[in-house]
Amino acid sequence: MSLVVMKFGGTSVEDPAAIERTAAIVAARVANGKLPVVVVSAMSKVTDQLLRAADHACRGERDAALAISNQLRERHKKTAATLLKKSTQEIHEFIDEHFNSLDEILRGLAAILELTPRISDLIVSYGERISSRIIAAAFQERGLNAAHFDARQVIITDSQFQKATPLFPLIEKRAEEHLRPLIKLGQLPVMGGFISANEAGITTTLGRGGSDFTAALIGGALNAEGIEIWTDVNGIMTTDPRICPDALRVKVISFEEAAELAYFGAKVLHPATILPAVKKNIPVYVLNSRNAANEGTRITSLAPHCKSPFKSIAVKKKLSIIDVVASRMLMTHGYMKDIFTIFDKHHCPVDMVSTSEVSVSLTVDSNDNLPAIAADLSELADVKYEGRKALICLVGEDIRGQNGMAAQVFNAIRHINVRMISQGASEINMSFMIDEDDAEEAIRSLHATFFKDPDPTIFDVEARKPIH
Ligand code: ADP
Ligand code: ASP
Ligand code: MG
């Protein structure tokens, strides 16, 4: 029988109705002879609210922090009460125990007034720990042989809190030890995504949006037949449908293209998701839990040929551009190394680089370390930095070898000021940086230009037809 990892995001478990739909989707897989392993996110917005509670607490605003925690306690209890008949009491106790300990942490934080990344991870972990328990109980009451499982027993990482790196050999070993036996007994493991632990058992997390990554890690470790990412849109679309309501579903896309899109801001998939799947050549599907009949997007190793140059357009906001200007030193040996050593020292990844005879421009996520990075760089050269930038990234295997593509792209956005351009690194993306305020307008213009006449073998053009 074939094993499939099914991940349901925040909106797919946001309320009792969504959890009912999720249970039905999983039950349909079981009825088809599949062996699902289910990974769930916290209920929608819960992670943001837990972070807000932590923020209040560490500023000494204890009551505001506890008020958020209370709202969350009630939301989870109401959800459990609506969904459960037999296990309501047991789950209410579980919820109370967890929120009581969360409240203790928040009170402690309000007393010591310091929030470390380690405590932040512990606080946000409650979202997935509680949602997964409620969902497992809901599955059990709907006839599924669900077993709640703490993901922190299997997803082992280093100790880089808030964005930990998984230790894959250990995860494989733990999955064989803890998960495989459950599956062999005919049970259906249900676990929280995003949360993990270091080797000492201290809670870590995989970074925002990390539940997708959990699903891929589990899929890779157990050699699943497929990994399904269930979300609130029909699949990977030609751009973010919130920006462009006429965005089309991409039926099939390569691992490489999907990875570029995710890295450059398409929130639909966590950027690291693809790697464990690529390694084992496991197909990933992006599917809509509100429209389960839709076939979604299939991500596979081979990209089919597409008549349009691009498959999708992503946007990454909240970026800063740093200009390092040194008229004499640029070509000296070791200069670039010195620049990158500074970014490395501050654990600050660089998205895009562009050099000229006299300057180097780099783009990074806007972050609190920028003044310190700029101060270090100013030892080498003159430095300027500017925030509120956005990176637009067009992705497609068929950019390779197409003449005149850059002209078409920049013609579509000729009314917008472009700060930095990059093409080449991967041959499948063309990216440029503009002011954040121009981003949506640029996306809409590019989308109108490049998806006017979409290839029906790759894009779901049916969806564009007017409904009669
Ligand atoms: P989940 O909670 O299920 O993980 P996310 O909010 O993380 O869901 O991701 C889904 C959202 O990603 C969609 O609602 C959509 O607005 C956004 N998105 C951004 N770019 C794309 C894209 N190219 N295709 C589909 N969705 C996209
Ligand atoms: N709940 C986490 C977040 O909101 C992880 C996820 O949903 O993927 O970032
Ligand atoms: Mg997500």
Side-chain angles (χ1 to χ4, degrees):
M1 287 233 279
S2 53
L3 199 147
V4 47
V5 179
M6 306 176 75
K7 177 261 173 177
F8 294 87
T11 44
S12 303
V13 296
E14 68 187 348
D15 56 23
I19 296 173
E20 290 279 10
R21 282 195 297 271
T22 293
I25 291 168
V26 175
R29 285 284 181 277
V30 173
N32 273 337
K34 305 278 186 218
L35 295 173
V37 175
V38 172
V39 174
V40 295
S41 289
M43 295 172 75
S44 67
K45 308 264 166 21
V46 168
T47 308
D48 288 335
Q49 281 162 337
L50 289 168
L51 286 170
R52 269 207 306 130
D55 194 51
H56 278 300
C58 74
R59 282 190 275 125
E61 296 155 11
R62 197 188 68 154
D63 292 348
L66 293 176
I68 293 174
S69 167
N70 263 332
Q71 277 170 13
L72 290 175
R73 188 193 291 246
E74 289 317 310
R75 179 176 168 197
H76 285 92
K77 279 188 162 178
K78 250 173 98 179
T79 303
T82 312
L83 281 169
L84 306 173
K85 296 213 160 47
K86 287 179 254 157
S87 47
T88 325
Q89 183 61 27
E90 185 193 334
I91 299 299
H92 272 201
E93 280 165 20
F94 178 92
I95 294 172
D96 273 331
E97 260 168 40
H98 279 70
F99 276 101
N100 290 347
S101 61
L102 173 65
D103 286 352
E104 259 176 57
I105 300 169
L106 292 172
R107 282 194 200 94
L109 204 53
I112 57 173
L113 303 175
E114 193 197 346
L115 179 59
T116 60
R118 172 173 163 171
I119 299 296
S120 178
D121 273 356
L122 180 62
I123 289 174
V124 289
S125 74
Y126 282 86
E128 268 76 4
R129 283 155 67 189
I130 298 169
S131 70
S132 56
R133 183 71 186 86
I134 297 172
I135 292 160
F139 281 11
Q140 282 159 4
E141 292 203 7
R142 279 151 191 80
L144 290 163
N145 195 9
H148 181 242
F149 184 80
D150 192 330
R152 294 172 298 175
Q153 284 185 47
V154 166
I155 307 293
I156 308 301
T157 65
D158 66 7
S159 299
Q160 205 193 322
F161 296 99
Q162 296 184 314
K163 209 179 174 123
T165 302
L167 305 174
F168 201 69
L170 264 181
I171 294 174
E172 269 188 318
K173 187 164 164 276
R174 298 277 188 109
E176 285 304 327
E177 278 167 16
H178 298 293
L179 275 174
R180 187 81 69 191
L182 289 181
I183 299 163
K184 282 202 173 132
L185 284 173
Q187 294 191 332
L188 189 158
V190 177
M191 70 182 93
F194 175 57
I195 57 175
S196 40
N198 66 13
E199 284 180 79
I202 308 289
T203 301
T204 57
T205 65
L206 300 172
R208 293 305 306 268
S211 294
D212 300 340
F213 196 12
T214 306
L217 289 166
I218 296 287
L222 293 173
N223 291 308
E225 170 201 82
I227 297 163
E228 300 179 351
I229 307 292
W230 290 86
T231 182
D232 62 350
V233 282
N234 278 343
I236 295 185
M237 313 288 281
T238 46
T239 193
D240 187 342
R242 279 177 302 194
I243 300 177
C244 234
D246 61 345
L248 295 166
R249 174 171 62 92
V250 184
K251 295 181 188 171
V252 54
I253 197 165
S254 70
F255 282 129
E256 229 184 329
E257 290 168 322
E260 291 281 316
L261 280 175
Y263 182 74
F264 287 102
K267 195 188 165 205
V268 65
L269 216 57
H270 182 280
T273 308
I274 301 299
L275 196 65
V278 177
K279 275 194 184 147
K280 301 247 168 125
N281 205 7
I282 303 171
V284 177
Y285 302 85
V286 180
L287 297 153
N288 189 349
S289 67
R290 291 182 181 151
N291 182 13
N294 194 286
E295 64 182 21
T297 299
R298 190 163 52 95
I299 309 174
T300 57
S301 50
L302 266 184
H305 176 68
C306 172
K307 289 194 198 99
S308 331
F310 302 117
K311 297 259 172 59
S312 186
I313 311 169
V315 56
K316 194 169 181 186
K317 293 185 179 171
K318 294 196 185 119
L319 298 180
S320 291
I321 185 163
I322 305 176
D323 293 317
V324 184
V325 184
S327 49
R328 279 180 310 112
M329 285 184 330
L330 189 61
M331 289 306 158
T332 38
H333 177 74
Y335 181 67
M336 288 296 238
K337 177 173 147 280
D338 292 344
I339 291 183
F340 280 100
T341 304
I342 291 169
F343 283 94
D344 189 41
K345 176 182 143 195
H346 293 276
H347 301 289
C348 179
V350 174
D351 280 326
M352 198 160 112
V353 187
S354 154
T355 65
S356 78
E357 179 62 24
V358 292
S359 69
V360 185
S361 298
L362 309 104
T363 69
V364 298
D365 283 353
S366 297
N367 63 68
D368 297 340
N369 279 341
L370 279 187
I373 294 171
D376 283 354
L377 288 170
S378 63
E379 308 261 312
L380 301 174
D382 292 336
V383 181
K384 276 189 308 200
Y385 64 95
E386 210 184 309
R388 295 189 52 78
K389 297 281 172 270
L391 192 63
I392 308 283
C393 175
L394 297 115
V395 170
E397 292 271 356
D398 296 285
I399 310 177
R400 292 183 221 257
Q402 293 227 19
N403 293 338
M405 202 43 65
Q408 283 185 49
V409 167
F410 294 111
N411 190 38
I413 51 147
R414 61 191 174 281
H415 49 298
I416 289 168
N417 182 26
V418 175
R419 279 295 305 272
M420 218 170 130
I421 300 171
S422 149
Q423 194 208 339
S426 74
E427 283 191 12
I428 64 160
N429 101 41
M430 192 184 280
S431 4
F432 57 89
M433 171 151 291
I434 56 180
D435 281 338
E436 208 168 82
D437 293 341
D438 293 331
E440 302 204 345
E441 168 60 24
I443 295 258
R444 283 192 279 263
S445 300
L446 290 164
H447 196 268
T449 305
F450 290 104
F451 296 100
K452 227 180 353 212
D453 184 22
D455 180 345
T457 58
I458 305 292
F459 304 103
D460 181 11
V461 290
E462 293 295 310
R464 192 175 262 179
K465 286 191 183 152
I467 302 157
H468 298 292

